[in-house]
Structures are given as C-alpha cells and as structure tokens.
Amino acid sequence: MSRLFVCGDICNSMSEMKKSFISDELVEVIKSVDYSVCNLEGIEVDHNTTHVDYPHQQFGTVSYLKSCGFNMCLLANNHITDGGPDRLNYTIDAIDNVRLDYIGAGFTEEQVYAARIKQIGNYKFGIINLCEAQEGQFSNSTCTYGYAWIGHFSIAKTISELRTKVDFILCFCHYGLEHYEVPLDCVRQYYYQLIDQGVDCIVGTHPHIAQGYEYYNDKLIVYSLGNFFFPRKTGRYDDENHSYSVVLEFKKGRKVQVTPIFHKLEEGAVCTDNSGRIDLKALNLLLSNNYKYNEEETIRKAFDGVVGNLFYNSMCSMSDQRRSPKERLKDIFRYTMFRSKYINSTAKIRASIISRLFENEIYRYIIIKIHNDYGEE
C-alpha cells in the first residue's frame, strides 16, 4: 500500500514570516504518510524584499514546508510566474536547496512538462502537474519560462509513456471556477478524458473553496481541495478559510481510498476543524443529483459576477444591460465627449481582457454557454 497526503493552495503572503502556520496536529498527519504534496501558489521572495503586490510566499516558507514533512511542491498555477523569470528561478533554487521535489514550471519545454516518477511506499507513481490558461502558461517552444498548461500537445503522449513505467499515474490540476461549489462540465469532461487516456487519480485546486469528489470508471477525481493556507486581508472570502485535505491510499486491484482531513484558518494558522462546516457528502451529491441544473445556475451566477463584468469592461460597459438608463446615458456622454480618456487610452487594456476571456478555458466556456442559451433572447 502507498499513502499520500495532498493539500490545496498555500500562499504565505503574511506581513512577516511566522515561526509556524500549520498546527502540530496537522504536521503529524503530513509526516505520517509515505509522501506529502502541496500547491505552492506563488513564488518565494528573498530576505531583502519589503513589498510585493501579488500572491507570494514570504522568505523561509519553502524551508518551513520541508520541516513540516512535505515532499513535493506543485508549481503549475496562475501565480507562479507573477514575479517574472528571476523570482521563479529563485523559488526553484530554494526548493532544490532543501531537497524538496517540484513539478509543473520552469524555463524549457522539457523541464516544464516533465513528469516525475517516484517510488512511494510499495508502488511506483508517475506524477503530472497542469494548470488552466492564465498569464504565464508555457504554451509553445518560443516561451522562455512558464507553467505547464492543460492544453499542451504533449500530455497524451506523456500519459501513454508513463503507463508502461509505473503502477499509478497521479495528475494534479489547477483548474476550475473560483468560489463556486459546482465544478463546470468542461472541467469534468477534461478530467474524464485524462482518465480515459490512462490517469488513475486526479486532484484539483484553484477554486479556493471545497468541491466534491467522484469516481469515474473506478478512478478518483477530487475537484477542489480549496485553500490550505491562504490568508486574505480583506475578509471578503470567509468561505476560503474552511476546507479539506486528503489522505489517499493506493493499493492494486481496488479504488483509491479517500480520507478527508478538514481544517480551518484560525488566528493566522491552519488547524484541524471538527465543526462539520464542510459537508462533503452534500458537495458530492451536487455532482449527481440535478447536476445539469446546478451547473446552469452556477454559470448564470458566474456570468452575472466576474465573467460578465470583465466582458462589459472590455467594451467600456456600453453593452451592460443591467445598468440603469441614467447610468447608460452618462456612459454615452462620457465616452463621446472624453473619448481619448475613456476609450482610446484603454484600448490595450480592453484588448487584453478580451484575449484573457477567450483564452481561459473556464471563461470561454461560460461565455459560450450563456450565448447559446440566451443569445437569441
């Protein structure tokens, strides 16, 4: 048997590095298994850095994670390239210096998309790490640095080659709609495709909150572990502060067994949570009972939220039907009389937003679904 601990997003952007931000009880769980994996959501800064305005890790975070029992850092995520190539290189060096494994980002196509083969417990594992299209994906050989993208042409070949070399293939994906409990069907179908190609288990991150899990063809899919340690200064995202990690047990001839470890953020540290706030059975039911309706409601809410706002902002809000007639008249006056300020000067920004909306798999899926369902109304 092989046992792995897997947690979600870690982003230690605290104003100063605490001596510890993981409770002793959780550290005991992390160290009790054969191999422990975390998603490192952003680069680590050096000890001279005083201010960084994007998600990152304070100096010393990687070393601390090593001391807590982690064995691998996942780097295929949408914040790992925020600091540019030098900061990514510094982070990889920091990981290497404490002898942690890493996967999912780098400076050449071979490095970025290379699978890791590890002997864990009684079995040999092939490990893959991928992320949806955001800023920073290593999409082709002309890129000089970036993270592994879910749409890269090499993935199917990698899975096929691993199948003959390992007992299990484990895929970690940073993919999904943020802050919604229902995984979109585009995510489910992509994961089903990975399993059809030969993957044995998929564990997802990125939505920042807990989502359920299911078995497809007897292979495990965990859609989102949510945050492990990702404090927010604004307090707007209290739902992010309660989630779960998993202990996965692998044994030939049976399904992967899942043991959830529920936790919460409390007084600046992540600790176990026995409150029952995360109802994992209910989250799992969202994947089966009335799934189509649940997904449609999620798509509507998401479009009325961030996706629709981005879409309207890319066109200076002129097409936003939700704005009042008075507000729209003000827009017409503003964009006519002060065109240089409100339209011409923002053209590059708006073009960048449009590009992001249709390049990102989640945003594109939502826009197409809304158009197909309501475009003729």
Side-chain angles (χ1 to χ4, degrees):
M1 184 172 67
S2 300
R3 300 174 73 244
L4 288 81
F5 174 88
V6 186
C7 73
D9 302 337
I10 292 178
C11 181
N12 181 30
S13 296
M14 305 290 282
S15 58
E16 63 180 70
M17 175 66 185
K18 296 181 60 173
K19 290 184 178 179
S20 63
F21 57 80
I22 303 174
S23 71
D24 291 342
E25 191 174 4
L26 279 171
V27 169
E28 186 177 340
V29 175
I30 294 166
K31 290 183 174 181
S32 70
V33 299
D34 300 306
Y35 200 78
S36 291
V37 180
C38 66
N39 179 57
L40 196 71
E41 184 92 358
I43 54 90
E44 179 175 311
V45 299
D46 61 44
H47 65 282
N48 294 317
T49 302
T50 57
H51 175 72
V52 177
D53 59 0
Y54 49 80
H56 63 281
Q57 319 295 335
Q58 287 295 333
F59 175 72
T61 299
V62 167
S63 178
Y64 171 68
L65 293 174
K66 169 73 172 183
S67 72
C68 290
F70 283 103
N71 304 100
M72 173 176 277
C73 292
L74 306 174
L75 302 185
N77 60 69
N78 56 303
H79 288 299
I80 201 64
T81 60
D82 286 353
D86 291 342
R87 301 251 185 181
L88 175 60
N89 187 60
Y90 175 87
T91 302
I92 290 175
D93 282 347
I95 294 170
D96 281 336
N97 287 340
V98 297
R99 298 185 178 180
L100 276 172
D101 297 329
Y102 74 90
I103 188 173
F107 298 90
T108 67
E109 198 165 36
E110 182 179 4
Q111 180 186 21
V112 170
Y113 289 96
R116 297 289 185 266
I117 296 178
K118 301 291 298 184
Q119 181 72 35
I120 301 173
N122 296 330
Y123 299 112
K124 187 174 290 187
F125 286 76
I127 303 174
I128 302 169
N129 184 206
L130 305 168
C131 178
E132 66 184 59
Q134 297 271 2
E135 294 183 11
Q137 74 266 28
F138 201 111
S139 56
N140 58 68
S141 58
T142 65
C143 296
T144 56
Y145 73 103
Y147 65 76
W149 171 47
I150 63 173
H152 196 260
F153 70 90
S154 66
I155 296 168
K157 181 181 178 182
T158 298
I159 294 170
S160 177
E161 291 175 348
L162 282 175
R163 193 68 277 168
T164 62
K165 300 176 182 178
V166 301
D167 299 298
F168 296 101
I169 299 177
L170 180 55
C171 184
F172 298 105
C173 282
H174 203 69
Y175 185 22
L177 179 61
E178 295 177 296
H179 301 118
Y180 290 89
E181 294 178 337
V182 179
L184 298 185
D185 195 47
C186 61
V187 178
R188 294 184 87 180
Q189 295 305 319
Y190 179 76
Y191 289 171
Y192 292 172
Q193 177 182 321
L194 289 178
I195 288 173
D196 288 340
Q197 291 170 348
V199 171
D200 296 291
C201 177
I202 299 169
V203 180
T205 55
H206 184 55
H208 292 299
I209 65 170
Q211 294 178 347
Y213 67 85
E214 68 175 337
Y215 290 91
Y216 168 73
N217 289 345
D218 288 339
K219 310 297 183 181
L220 177 66
I221 303 172
V222 180
Y223 284 98
S224 174
L225 292 177
N227 289 342
F228 186 67
F229 182 75
F230 204 133
R232 299 274 191 173
K233 294 180 181 179
T234 63
R236 291 174 55 196
Y237 303 101
D238 187 55
D239 59 339
E240 293 186 350
N241 296 330
H242 298 77
S243 198
Y244 72 107
S245 300
V246 288
V247 172
L248 305 176
E249 293 186 358
F250 291 82
K251 188 175 182 180
K252 281 288 189 181
R254 76 174 191 187
K255 295 180 181 179
V256 178
Q257 303 298 298
V258 186
T259 302
I261 310 295
F262 298 100
H263 44 72
K264 61 183 176 181
L265 182 63
E266 187 172 80
E267 298 182 356
V270 59
C271 56
T272 55
D273 180 19
N274 299 315
S275 68
R277 174 160 177 165
I278 301 298
D279 189 342
L280 198 47
K281 289 183 179 179
L283 292 175
N284 292 345
L285 285 174
L286 290 175
L287 298 166
S288 55
N289 292 357
N290 301 314
Y291 172 72
K292 183 177 180 181
Y293 172 80
N294 295 333
E295 195 219 15
E296 288 175 352
E297 287 296 298
T298 298
I299 288 171
R300 290 194 195 98
K301 290 176 182 177
F303 188 80
D304 287 341
V306 62
V307 179
N309 286 335
L310 286 170
F311 188 75
Y312 297 134
N313 288 340
S314 72
M315 294 179 284
C316 293
S317 300
M318 292 295 287
S319 67
D320 189 347
Q321 303 297 321
R322 300 167 300 174
R323 294 167 66 84
S324 69
K326 183 178 180 180
E327 290 173 328
R328 299 189 73 196
L329 283 172
K330 286 182 179 179
D331 283 344
I332 292 171
F333 177 79
R334 186 181 298 119
Y335 300 147
T336 302
M337 299 303 296
F338 304 100
R339 182 178 183 86
S340 177
K341 178 179 180 180
Y342 289 101
I343 296 184
N344 296 345
S345 65
T346 62
K348 288 186 178 180
I349 296 174
R350 290 183 286 109
S352 175
I353 294 172
I354 279 288
S355 175
R356 181 186 177 198
L357 284 171
F358 286 92
E359 183 178 38
N360 178 266
E361 294 82 1
I362 294 293
Y363 295 159
R364 183 174 65 242
Y365 176 79
I366 290 171
I367 291 171
I368 291 172
K369 290 287 287 185
I370 289 291
H371 173 75
N372 289 344
D373 291 344
Y374 305 106
E376 296 181 1
E377 291 186 1

